[in-house]
């Protein structure tokens, strides 16, 4: 597989490196105005990236290349945000990662069980297509965003139990179990059309649940004072 690197520097001087094994697809998307420009193609990770910290995106990359590229970047630079998309990664190495935001895109299979991850925000763009594993818990996460969930959100709330904000959109969940996310302040629930119940306990710190297009959800007396229907 041939890999290409594209470096984009925005108006604020922030650098984003996009690494893809299907560059022809993305160049065509740019040509059709479906995708924004990828940035400048670069040929060396060592010499052509001047920034000390970058955002990093992987698309359609094999495990060996992923490990090699991530190791090289981490040796010299700080990674702010990282996205993984369309990757089936049987990773043999463990990594110690400190990030601001981790994006998990469509069709990602990666085992991060042995990784030491410190991250503030995690976003799943398609939880129903995610087949990977996380460590048993990642207490650093404060904000969790989940799109396109079949019925798996409750299991991931056990991993990200320290969150203060939850954004859940387009989920088939019927019972949302918030009893273990004791520090949760806000939950934003949209297009959860099968949702019937939200479970909390007296130790929850939640002060606001914003509900949009969840037609089967009728709040209990316990929660009706903090529900906002849009």
């Amino acid at each position: 597989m041939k890999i290409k690197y594209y470096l984009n520097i925005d108006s604020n001087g922030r650098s984003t490196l996009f690494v893809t094994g299907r560059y022809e697809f993305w160049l065509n998307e740019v040509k059709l105005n479906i995708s924004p420009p990828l940035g400048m193609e670069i040929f060396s990770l060592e010499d052509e990236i001047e920034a000390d910290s970058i955002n990093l995106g992987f698309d359609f990359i094999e495990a060996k290349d992923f490990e090699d590229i991530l190791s090289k970047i981490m040796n010299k630079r700080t990674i702010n945000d990282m996205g993984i998309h369309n990757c089936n990664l049987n990773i043999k190495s463990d990594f110690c990662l400190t990030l601001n935001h981790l994006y998990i895109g469509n069709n990602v299979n990666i085992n991060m069980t042995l990784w030491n991850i410190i991250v503030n925000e995690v976003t799943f763009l398609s939880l129903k297509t995610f087949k990977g594993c996380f460590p048993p818990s990642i207490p650093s996460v404060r904000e969790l965003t989940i799109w396109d969930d079949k019925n798996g959100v409750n299991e991931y709330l056990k991993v990200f139990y320290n969150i203060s904000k939850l954004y859940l959109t387009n989920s088939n969940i019927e019972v949302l179990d918030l009893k273990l996310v004791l520090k949760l302040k806000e939950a934003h629930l949209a297009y959860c059309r099968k949702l019937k119940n939200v479970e909390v306990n007296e130790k929850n710190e939640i002060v606001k649940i914003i509900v949009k297009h969840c037609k089967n959800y009728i709040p209990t007396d316990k929660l009706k004072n903090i529900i906002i229907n849009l």
Side-chain angles (χ1 to χ4, degrees), residues 8-19:
N8 184 282
I9 302 175
D10 68 16
S11 58
N12 294 314
R14 291 173 297 201
S15 297
T16 298
L17 178 66
F18 179 55
V19 184

Side-chain angles (χ1 to χ4, degrees), residues 25-121:
F25 167 83
W26 286 111
L27 291 176
N28 188 57
E29 294 287 285
V30 172
K31 183 178 179 180
L32 296 173
N33 292 318
I34 298 173
S35 170
L38 301 181
M40 175 183 65
E41 183 180 357
I42 65 172
F43 303 93
S44 170
L45 295 178
E46 287 77 13
D47 301 326
E48 298 189 47
I49 303 176
E50 297 180 358
D52 293 327
S53 63
I54 65 168
N55 300 323
L56 180 61
F58 292 97
D59 171 73
F60 213 74
I61 298 296
E62 294 179 349
K64 181 179 181 300
D65 296 314
F66 177 89
E67 293 181 77
D68 182 55
I69 294 166
L70 184 56
S71 295
K72 287 180 179 178
I73 294 291
M74 291 175 60
N75 282 340
K76 292 188 175 182
R77 293 170 183 86
T78 300
I79 303 172
N80 297 319
D81 301 344
M82 186 170 81
I84 305 172
H85 309 267
N86 301 296
C87 292
N88 186 354
L89 303 170
N90 182 17
I91 302 296
K92 303 297 184 182
S93 304
D94 56 350
F95 287 97
C96 294
L97 275 177
T98 300
L99 305 170
N100 177 54
H101 202 146
L102 174 63
Y103 295 88
I104 304 293
N106 294 329
N107 302 308
V108 172
N109 185 349
I110 182 171
N111 187 347
M112 294 182 279
T113 306
L114 298 178
W115 293 22
N116 183 359
I117 305 174
I118 299 174
V119 57
N120 296 322
E121 300 178 39

